[in-house]
Amino acid sequence: MTTTALVLDAGGARSGYQVGVLQVLLPALDDLGARPRVLVGSSAGGLIAAAVAATARRTVADQVEALGTLLGHGTKPRVMRPLWRQLPEMALRYASETVGWSGFRLRGIIDTGPLAATLREHVDWGALHDNLADGTAVDTLAVTASSVRTGRVVLFTEGGRPLPDLPADRHRHYVRTRLTTDHLMASAAVPVLFPSVHVTEPAAAADWYVDGATRRRTPLAPALDLGADRVVAVGTGRREAPESAPRDDGRDVDLADSAATLLGAVMDDPLRHDLRRLRETNVLAGDRGLATALARAGGSDRPLREVPYVGIAPRDGDALAAAALDTFRRNHGSLRATLRDPDLQIVHRILGSDSPLQGELLSYLMFDPDFSAVAADLGRKDARAWLREHPGVFVT
């Protein structure tokens, strides 16, 4: 049986885009008899992957509706505590570290306790575990996290599929476990912004973890490690590398520009480069003689193989940034909105309100229903465009 893997990459508040893509793509895959059986998620993609696993035995229409419902719960009050309420504790934790009180550390700027509560309440954990144990609709879910101390990428994996036995020097490591909210929170713990998470199960991998996208280099590799024959990858970063903008090259940059560049390197680049490598490998694998020779040169008896794929990410690289900035100005820019919820305005001002990349940075933090709706609409639009351009859905 041919196995399809779904790879959902990182994106923070941009994850609405992925939900929009899946609302179009899952029905198309269902029509082909290619619903994903292997799910791999990093950061916000891990949260959506868990929701897909929990609804795997439902009709595709119900599954699409459930994803939309989950997106509707991704509002700021259900993701993070108000920043102004955290300032006293934050200051105390920071002060304790400066005087050497190691038991009261500052592990992140934003308290994401509400997100943990949202995941406990709105992910059907019983169905998730039952579906992965039964294996008829989905057989493996792997959630990526990065060890704070070692920097190693750990894939917390539940399901019946055999785990790959990789050499010890490989950057990624698989551990079998019963997934919980802690694993999802660890995968989504953006360093510095969100607190690192102490995962205790399984005991062999107990450690402090942060966002799975932080150290992962090859987002598609876990899908192939887990035996997928076809890959569906959905990212939230630019589909193509940004072009030079001569008019802006001479403008001064600030903290927001540096932060957006760092996030782009973590969120955008790895998936884009991995999809390019997959395309190039498929071309080489199409020449059987060359594929065999290259495999032998690399010390393998197995020739390179073609892996049909779907690779969807924003076609318009600036669309999500523009939508975030527009949402900020409409919903959070007025004095009344600032008094009601000053967090985004404070962040906006601290990071430089006229920064050329301010919208790019805000798009990762804009947990606003209006932004989520625009992001989902962009995702649906890009997914429909992919289906029009690739009638067979998968390409090689």
Side-chain angles (χ1 to χ4, degrees):
M1 181 177 65
T2 301
T3 299
T4 301
L6 174 63
V7 178
L8 297 172
D9 212 22
R14 289 172 167 232
S15 58
Y17 176 88
Q18 294 171 306
V19 170
V21 169
L22 293 178
Q23 288 174 331
V24 172
L25 203 55
L26 287 178
L29 294 172
D30 186 55
D31 289 342
L32 290 176
R35 288 180 71 165
R37 296 186 56 81
V38 173
L39 308 173
V40 179
S42 296
S43 194
L47 313 188
I48 301 174
V52 173
T55 56
R57 282 194 282 186
R58 299 188 192 180
T59 66
V60 72
D62 284 348
Q63 192 173 37
V64 164
E65 183 180 356
L67 288 174
T69 300
L70 180 65
L71 179 63
H73 292 302
T75 58
K76 183 173 172 289
R78 292 179 174 178
V79 173
M80 61 186 71
R81 283 180 59 209
L83 189 59
W84 63 270
R85 291 184 179 177
Q86 303 172 52
L87 291 177
E89 181 181 345
M90 190 189 310
L92 183 59
R93 286 184 177 275
Y94 182 75
S96 73
E97 292 202 40
T98 63
V99 297
W101 296 346
S102 60
F104 198 57
R105 294 183 182 277
L106 179 63
R107 297 190 176 91
I109 295 174
I110 299 172
D111 181 355
T112 52
L115 176 59
T118 298
L119 293 174
R120 283 192 290 269
E121 181 179 355
H122 295 290
V123 172
D124 188 338
W125 288 97
L128 181 149
H129 298 309
D130 288 346
N131 291 346
L132 290 168
D134 176 79
T136 56
V138 62
D139 56 36
T140 299
L141 169 61
V143 177
T144 309
S146 302
S147 168
V148 174
R149 292 193 171 92
T150 68
R152 196 174 197 184
V153 174
V154 176
L155 288 107
F156 294 105
T157 308
E158 182 174 352
R161 190 164 287 263
L163 299 187
D165 184 17
L166 300 180
D169 61 351
R170 288 292 179 91
H171 189 59
R172 59 190 179 277
H173 177 61
Y174 295 81
V175 294
R176 193 178 298 280
T177 191
R178 183 179 172 88
L179 291 166
T180 67
T181 299
D182 285 348
H183 298 104
L184 299 188
M185 291 296 293
S187 182
V190 180
V192 181
L193 286 180
F194 296 168
S196 52
V197 177
H198 190 215
V199 174
T200 58
E201 294 293 337
D207 202 349
W208 288 94
Y209 290 91
V210 292
D211 198 306
T214 306
R215 301 298 291 267
R216 62 93 176 85
R217 299 166 183 166
T218 51
L220 302 183
L224 303 180
D225 289 343
L226 292 166
D229 304 295
R230 299 178 293 201
V231 174
V232 176
V234 185
T236 63
R238 296 170 181 267
R239 181 174 174 178
E240 304 294 338
E243 298 179 359
S244 175
R247 289 177 301 171
D248 291 335
D249 283 349
R251 292 182 63 179
D252 288 341
V253 298
D254 58 19
L255 186 61
D257 295 308
S258 299
T261 299
L262 177 60
L263 280 172
V266 171
M267 306 288 189
D268 297 8
D269 297 350
L271 182 60
R272 184 168 61 241
H273 295 329
D274 231 11
L275 285 170
R276 187 196 70 239
R277 283 190 290 266
L278 181 57
R279 288 193 297 269
E280 294 170 349
T281 300
N282 282 345
V283 170
L284 295 174
D287 184 326
R288 291 185 177 273
L290 179 58
T292 301
L294 289 173
R296 288 175 178 170
S300 173
D301 294 330
R302 300 175 61 187
L304 298 176
R305 62 187 176 100
E306 291 183 82
V307 178
Y309 71 92
V310 175
I312 300 180
R315 296 163 69 93
D316 181 349
D318 295 322
L320 288 173
L325 196 55
D326 180 63
T327 302
F328 172 79
R329 288 168 175 163
R330 285 188 292 106
N331 295 357
H332 306 275
S334 69
L335 177 60
R336 175 181 291 182
T338 299
L339 292 174
R340 184 173 64 248
D341 183 2
D343 288 359
L344 280 175
Q345 187 66 247
I346 292 171
V347 171
H348 183 58
R349 295 295 174 183
I350 289 175
L351 295 178
S353 57
D354 64 347
S355 161
L357 297 181
Q358 183 67 222
E360 189 84 10
L361 186 59
L362 283 172
S363 68
Y364 292 100
L365 301 172
M366 188 61 66
F367 295 100
D368 181 293
D370 289 347
F371 175 66
S372 295
V374 173
D377 189 56
L378 288 169
R380 289 187 289 268
K381 178 180 176 182
D382 285 351
R384 293 187 188 109
W386 177 277
L387 295 179
R388 285 195 304 271
E389 294 165 9
H390 307 91
V393 182
F394 291 94
V395 298
T396 54

